[in-house]
Amino acid sequence: MMRLYNTLSRTEEPFTPGPGNTVRMYTCGLTVYARGHIGNFRSFICTDILRRTLRHLMEFDVRHVMNFTDVDDRTIVGAQRSGQDLRAYTTQYVDAFLDDARALGLEPVEAMPRATDPENLQAMADLITVLDAKGHTYRSDGSIYFKINTMPDYGKLARLDHEGMKAGARVDADNYAKDDARDFVLWKATKPDEPSWTVVDPPGRPGWHLECSAMALRLLGEPPIDIHTGGVDLVFPHHENEIAQSECATGKPFVRFWFHVEHLNVDEQKMSKSLGNTYTIPDVIAKGFRPSAVRYLLLSAHYRKPLNFTWSSLAQAEEAMRRLTDFLARLATVTAEGAHPEVGSRVAQAQQEFGDAMRSDLNTAGALGALFELVRWLNAAIDSGRVGRADVDAIHEAFGGFDRVLGVLSLRRAEDDQPPIPVEEIDRLIEERHAARRRRDFAEADRIRQDLAARGVLLEDSSSGTRWKRK
RNA sequence: GGCGCCGUCGCCAAGUGGUAAGGCAGAGGUCUGCAAAACCUCCACCCCCGGUUCAAAUCCGGGCGGCGCCUCCA
């Protein structure tokens, strides 16, 4: 049994899918007005870990939808400024997202709808029609609003009370058009030079919250869906309003589990574009780090805790990964035949600990702890000759299982498979160095190693030969 | 003002009632042509003050400090 924290109840609850063995989940994806930064990707990576745990550890089927918000104030302004059509403008950021997602090892999801896809706009129009019929809407200045006071339990997710909002002294700047400051727009009136769609009367463009409800209900079927994910900043108003629209339209609970990922901070402050403290994957690569290290760092802390990003912690992640990959590479040096029962039982113990940690509300740090303890034990066993080829097969299988959940070792391996120097040249230089060492010309041997190191390839000698790795 | 998250070794980070996982960095050793890698040893009374308990980092109360949301935001 897996336990998962549910924002709706503010407690950890046992998780099982709804009817059948299929988990239906929805993730609020990126607004494609700019390249996503690693703060955005923290939430996507944590969601990916959730997805992988459900699939590969719990062995559920998963139907996972992650959307792109490709129409809002920022995308419209961006498109206008660049003189591009909205679709063309947003597509470049969709593509950039897909590149970054691949670099970070995100599993492809079952559907990635865009808000402006015709079938999604139609779904939004249908939702408005139902909400109209049930008396949850009103029109004002060409926009269509959702009327909060038609929903008795509005606010159950964020648990904000009206009094608190009033005392906050910060009120919506354009609430003059609304009956109640808390009412939100379903369908926005557009200015003459803005993109507009006619599926709804009056023509206009989608409100942000409406998109997600429409796409989730269209692509995931009968509510309630099992899990809905996003960053903590989406709890209010976005997710609260999704609940309002969806539940008032369908008359059923919208979502069973709300999964929210805490922020990635920089200098103890939220990483966000408005603060100008963001880093993208290309930024990280330009600094000499690898996407796998970013993935490792972002998954190494619990998803419900704030994580402060520093270049130093990224470097630490890089080193931690190196320990794991060095160990896996070392397995190739084991040549003895046979199997050792105590290796098998130690591996099984680690698998148990790993699974227990992940099932406990995705305790990735605890799971990594189990992994490193196993690595130390196995390294010692190899040192003393207590590991055979048959054990190595079992070890590889176990690590394959760990990595189907973490998705970081294979990512690292894929990066390592693309060394800065052609493999044939590395092999040739290693051979030359061997020759030099055989004639005890250590000056030449060291020169070759230093030359390779300067070009990003490190050599390690051992009794079973020399192996290379990327710096 | 309301709703939340958080404060554990130099750094990162688990643990949420029985006396502190793991990673990085550091010190000493083993191994080694050198260098790595690996292994061994060492390295924390858990923000403060009360309380509950045989027993608290872990529960309760009160502080102090950091952050987020309440307005577009992963």
Side-chain angles (χ1 to χ4, degrees):
Chain A
M1 182 63 78
M2 177 176 180
R3 299 187 63 81
L4 202 58
Y5 185 86
N6 187 354
T7 307
L8 198 55
S9 64
R10 304 281 154 88
T11 58
E12 250 179 50
E13 299 175 33
F15 176 82
T16 49
N21 202 43
T22 300
V23 178
R24 295 175 299 148
M25 58 191 280
Y26 185 89
T27 294
C28 286
L30 198 64
T31 299
V32 280
Y33 73 104
R35 191 169 199 127
H37 54 72
I38 59 176
N40 296 318
F41 280 106
R42 180 184 188 193
S43 76
F44 300 134
I45 286 170
C46 290
T47 297
D48 182 62
I49 294 290
L50 170 61
R51 172 196 163 85
R52 287 167 174 269
T53 300
L54 293 167
R55 288 187 71 203
H56 303 122
L57 195 64
M58 304 309 293
E59 300 186 330
F60 298 133
D61 295 322
V62 170
R63 175 161 175 77
H64 185 186
V65 175
M66 176 158 67
N67 77 294
F68 291 108
T69 295
D70 62 353
V71 54
D72 79 323
D73 292 347
R74 294 165 298 172
T75 49
I76 290 170
V77 168
Q80 284 172 343
R81 281 198 186 137
S82 68
Q84 283 172 287
D85 161 64
L86 179 67
R87 186 82 183 187
Y89 176 78
T90 55
T91 295
Q92 63 186 322
Y93 295 115
V94 169
D95 292 343
F97 174 86
L98 295 175
D99 286 346
D100 292 343
R102 204 173 306 115
L104 290 170
L106 300 186
E107 278 191 348
V109 300
E110 283 65 36
M112 301 188 94
R114 292 171 68 159
T116 63
D117 291 337
E119 56 273 35
N120 294 325
L121 287 160
Q122 186 57 53
M124 294 176 221
D126 294 346
L127 209 48
I128 288 176
T129 300
V130 175
L131 290 169
D132 274 342
K134 294 190 175 182
H136 293 293
T137 65
Y138 62 90
R139 323 229 158 184
S140 173
D141 289 356
S143 292
I144 306 175
Y145 291 92
F146 183 93
K147 199 169 179 56
I148 290 303
N149 67 12
T150 63
M151 186 189 192
D153 60 349
Y154 180 81
K156 62 188 172 190
L157 180 69
R159 302 186 182 185
L160 294 178
D161 63 89
H162 204 171
E163 305 310 311
M165 291 185 71
K166 276 183 175 166
R170 290 196 282 183
V171 280
D172 196 324
D174 54 29
N175 67 6
Y176 56 86
K178 299 193 258 181
D179 292 355
D180 182 316
R182 298 174 305 161
D183 291 344
F184 60 90
V185 69
L186 294 165
W187 188 256
K188 274 185 126 164
T190 44
K191 299 180 192 121
D193 56 340
E194 289 180 342
S196 180
W197 288 269
T198 57
V199 281
V200 172
D201 180 33
R205 62 178 170 97
W208 177 35
H209 316 305
L210 184 68
E211 300 171 11
C212 286
S213 288
M215 290 187 271
L217 293 171
R218 180 174 84 77
L219 291 160
L220 292 172
E222 279 297 291
I225 64 173
D226 296 303
I227 304 175
H228 192 128
T229 83
V232 281
D233 49 357
L234 298 187
V235 173
F236 190 88
H238 188 230
H239 289 337
E240 192 68 61
N241 291 346
E242 279 190 56
I243 290 174
Q245 298 159 339
S246 305
E247 300 196 347
C248 286
T250 66
K252 295 176 183 168
F254 179 41
V255 170
R256 297 175 52 234
F257 279 76
W258 286 93
F259 177 90
H260 289 108
V261 179
E262 257 295 345
H263 287 305
L264 183 66
N265 295 153
V266 180
D267 297 329
E268 312 296 343
Q269 276 196 306
K270 175 179 169 179
M271 179 178 286
S272 76
K273 297 214 173 74
S274 52
L275 290 169
N277 59 358
T278 63
Y279 299 109
T280 64
I281 290 301
D283 291 338
V284 167
I285 291 171
K287 282 261 195 179
F289 293 97
R290 307 198 208 173
S292 63
V294 174
R295 183 177 174 100
Y296 182 94
L297 175 63
L298 297 185
L299 68 76
S300 65
H302 189 83
Y303 73 91
R304 283 193 291 114
K305 271 195 170 186
L307 173 60
N308 195 46
F309 175 84
T310 63
W311 294 107
S312 157
S313 58
L314 187 56
Q316 290 175 23
E318 194 83 61
E319 291 309 311
M321 286 238 62
R322 190 179 292 281
R323 178 164 166 80
L324 294 176
T325 48
D326 278 350
F327 165 74
L328 291 175
R330 189 185 184 199
L331 290 174
T333 68
V334 173
T335 52
E337 291 302 318
H340 301 253
E342 68 274 19
V343 173
S345 59
R346 183 62 187 79
V347 168
Q349 179 198 331
Q351 287 173 310
Q352 183 66 43
E353 291 166 353
F354 181 91
D356 287 347
M358 292 307 296
R359 280 185 291 268
S360 174
D361 195 30
L362 306 184
N363 183 355
T364 44
L368 286 171
L371 216 63
F372 280 105
E373 285 179 320
L374 176 64
V375 165
R376 178 162 23 84
W377 192 94
L378 288 172
N379 267 322
I382 294 172
D383 281 349
S384 56
R386 291 167 9 242
V387 175
R389 288 307 310 171
D391 295 319
V392 168
D393 292 341
I395 292 165
H396 271 130
E397 198 171 313
F399 275 78
F402 298 143
D403 199 49
R404 274 191 289 282
V405 174
L406 300 177
V408 77
L409 299 174
S410 52
L411 190 64
R412 177 85 177 191
R413 195 177 317 121
E415 292 167 350
D416 283 340
D417 286 344
Q418 297 177 332
I421 306 173
V423 176
E424 304 75 50
E425 185 179 353
I426 298 173
D427 288 341
R428 201 193 76 235
L429 287 169
I430 287 177
E431 208 31 65
E432 280 180 24
R433 180 165 166 276
H434 270 176
R437 292 178 75 203
R438 255 180 254 114
R439 61 177 187 268
R440 303 192 69 75
D441 182 356
F442 295 121
E444 172 63 7
D446 289 349
R447 192 197 62 73
I448 291 172
R449 174 167 37 219
Q450 281 154 19
D451 170 57
L452 280 171
R455 294 198 280 157
V457 171
L458 302 178
L459 299 185
E460 283 178 19
D461 299 323
S462 74
S463 55
S464 58
T466 298
R467 78 171 191 244
W468 65 266
K469 64 184 181 188
R470 269 182 65 173
K471 210 172 203 168

